[in-house]
Every structure is written in C-alpha cells, then in structure tokens.
C-alpha cells in the first residue's frame, strides 16, 4: 500500500508541474512553492512551501535553485532535499561541475544539515508526467533517506534503484546531459525512457 508523504515542490515549470501531478496521483500531499505564488491556484511562497513538508523537491534552474538553497539553508535543515536539477550551461553546450563535484554535491556542501537526494533529473518531462515503469536512480549519502525516496519514486510508477553514494551524481549528471542530447536532439522524442531487463 502506498504511504502518503507531505512533499513540497519548488518550481512549477515543465519538470516541476509534471512530477507534482505524478506524485499527487500516487497519493502524496503536494505543496507548490513559487516566487510568484499568484501564478497558480493553491501555490504558496517558497519559504512557506519549505516549512510545509519534510521532503522538498527543487525543480528550479540550477543557479536559481542554488540561490534558494543558500537563502533558506536554515529552514531546509533536517529535511530531505530532492535535487532534480541539471547544472546545464546557459548555452546548453554542456553541464557545469564545481571543482570536479556534481551539482548535487555542491548543494550538499552548502546545505550541510540537509540530506540531498538526486533523482528525477534523468527523465524528461513527459516521462515525469507518465512514468510507466521508467528507470530512475535515487542517489544520496544517507541510506535511510535513499530508502524513503526509493519508496516514493516506486509508488509514483518508476523503477527506482537506490545508490548510497552522492559522489556517483558526477556520472549521473553527465548521463542526464547525454540523455537530454539523445532524446531532444537525436530522437526528437522526449517521451522515451530506460528500462532494466
Ligand atoms: N524539462 C525537463 O524535461 C526536465 C527533466 C528533469 C529535470 N529538469 C530540471 O528541472 C529544473 C527545471 O526545469 P524546467 O524545464 O521545469 O524549467 P522551466 O520550465 O523553465 O521552469 C522553471 C521554474 O523555475 C522557476 N524559476 C526560474 N527562475 C527562478 C528564480 N530565480 N527564483 C525562483 N523560481 C524561479 C520558474 O518560475 P517562473 O514561472 O516564475 O519563471 C518555473 O516555475 C532544471 O534544473 C532542469 O535541469 C528538467
């Protein structure tokens, strides 16, 4: 039986709106936090959304998400922060690393009292909206938080595979960049997904 979680999502663009709908359908209580909450019925400010849940998904462009994390680091302390951001370069010519660290590690260094889990960054928006068993890795340093998020991601309809080592997000973010290239540029179909067989 699915267990309901209170989950806040910061950002409601292609990625945030898609995963919000999927997680809500799976029975979770979703709070959406926006810089302009008037844009969406029921949305609240980013600060209110962070306070509303112990699990917070950051679905913002990387630089904006990092800035929000910096601004609200004390409010995010003790929470699971799901980082679904890919630190893409502004001209989309590649992705940024931070002294060899991934975007997720860079956020974890900033939020030392939060637990960063990276997932949902290597599926395109149509798959986030309709997972159909799509493979999705769930990566973080804390085993029990990885297990919690794996259960949420599975209940939402993905094949979730947990990895307890946040440094593996270096390769995962590189793969996510490759995956965007493959689906958007090569196949021109962002509704493709991977399956383990
Ligand atoms: N698109 C995908 O298929 C996909 C899949 C997986 C992961 N991702 C990742 O998800 C993140 C969001 O991507 P997206 O495609 O959903 O982008 P998007 O459609 O452009 O939406 C961006 C969202 O972030 C908000 N935002 C932008 N700048 C902000 C700021 N400075 N402060 C507060 N909020 C801000 C926007 O709010 P406003 O409406 O107010 O501008 C909007 O809600 C990215 O990191 C991306 O790498 C995307």
């Amino acid at each position: 039986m699915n267990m309901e979680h209170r989950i806040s999502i910061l950002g409601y663009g292609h990625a945030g709106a898609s995963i919000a709908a999927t997680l809500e359908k799976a029975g979770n209580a979703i709070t959406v936090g926006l810089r302009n909450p008037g844009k969406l019925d029921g949305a609240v400010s980013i600060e209110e959304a962070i306070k509303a849940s112990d699990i917070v998904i950051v679905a913002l462009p990387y630089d904006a998400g990092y800035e929000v994390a910096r601004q609200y680091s004390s409010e995010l302390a003790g929470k699971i922060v799901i980082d679904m951001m890919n630190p893409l370069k502004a001209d989309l010519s590649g992705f940024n690393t931070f002294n060899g660290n991934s975007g997720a590690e860079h956020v974890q260094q900033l939020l030392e009292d939060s637990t960063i889990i990276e997932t949902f960054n290597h599926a395109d928006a149509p798959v986030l909206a309709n997972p159909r068993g799509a493979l999705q890795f769930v990566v973080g340093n804390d085993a029990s938080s990885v297990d919690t998020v794996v259960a949420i991601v599975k209940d939402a309809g993905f094949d979730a595979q947990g990895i307890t080592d946040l440094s593996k997000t270096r390769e995962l973010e590189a793969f996510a960049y490759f995956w965007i290239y493959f689906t958007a540029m090569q196949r021109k179909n962002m509704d493709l997904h991977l399956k383990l067989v």
Side-chain angles (χ1 to χ4, degrees):
M1 195 183 70
N2 291 6
M3 187 174 147
E4 178 182 305
H5 292 269
R6 296 188 61 79
I7 301 173
S8 291
I9 301 185
L10 311 183
Y12 201 75
H14 296 94
S18 299
I19 200 61
T22 295
L23 291 170
E24 190 157 52
K25 217 182 293 168
N28 299 289
I30 303 298
T31 302
V32 175
L34 295 179
R35 59 177 165 181
N36 299 314
K39 262 189 153 179
L40 178 75
D41 271 359
V44 298
S45 70
I46 285 182
E47 184 172 8
E48 284 174 280
I50 291 170
K51 287 183 176 157
S53 308
D54 288 334
I55 299 175
V56 178
I57 300 179
V58 187
L60 302 171
Y62 189 85
D63 290 349
Y66 190 83
E67 178 53 28
V68 162
R70 196 193 57 68
Q71 197 178 341
Y72 295 105
S73 57
S74 46
E75 290 83 354
L76 287 164
K79 299 184 189 262
I80 291 176
V81 176
I82 297 181
D83 174 4
M84 61 183 291
M85 303 180 289
N86 287 309
L88 301 177
K89 291 186 194 286
D91 63 0
L92 303 183
S93 63
F95 63 103
N96 289 310
T97 58
F98 305 88
N99 294 322
N101 292 327
S102 69
E105 288 177 292
H106 193 48
V107 176
Q108 180 68 83
Q109 285 154 11
L110 178 68
L111 298 181
E112 50 186 25
D113 296 324
S114 307
T115 302
I116 307 303
I117 303 285
E118 183 158 277
T119 190
F120 299 141
N121 67 320
H122 49 297
D124 294 317
V127 176
L128 296 172
N130 185 12
R132 291 153 289 169
L135 173 65
Q136 203 57 193
F137 294 105
V138 174
V139 189
N141 281 336
D142 177 61
S144 129
S145 303
V146 168
D147 288 348
T148 299
V149 178
V150 162
I152 291 169
V153 176
K154 274 192 176 150
D155 286 346
F158 295 88
D159 172 13
Q161 300 290 325
I163 309 271
T164 309
D165 180 352
L166 193 67
S167 74
K168 293 299 165 208
T169 55
R170 296 172 198 175
E171 290 78 19
L172 189 60
E173 289 175 14
F175 173 73
Y177 180 72
F178 172 79
W179 185 248
I180 294 164
Y181 165 77
F182 176 69
T183 58
M185 307 295 173
Q186 287 288 305
R187 296 292 296 271
K188 302 195 186 325
N189 177 1
M190 297 183 82
D191 200 13
L192 297 171
H193 67 264
L194 292 168
K195 252 193 167 88
L196 285 183
V197 291

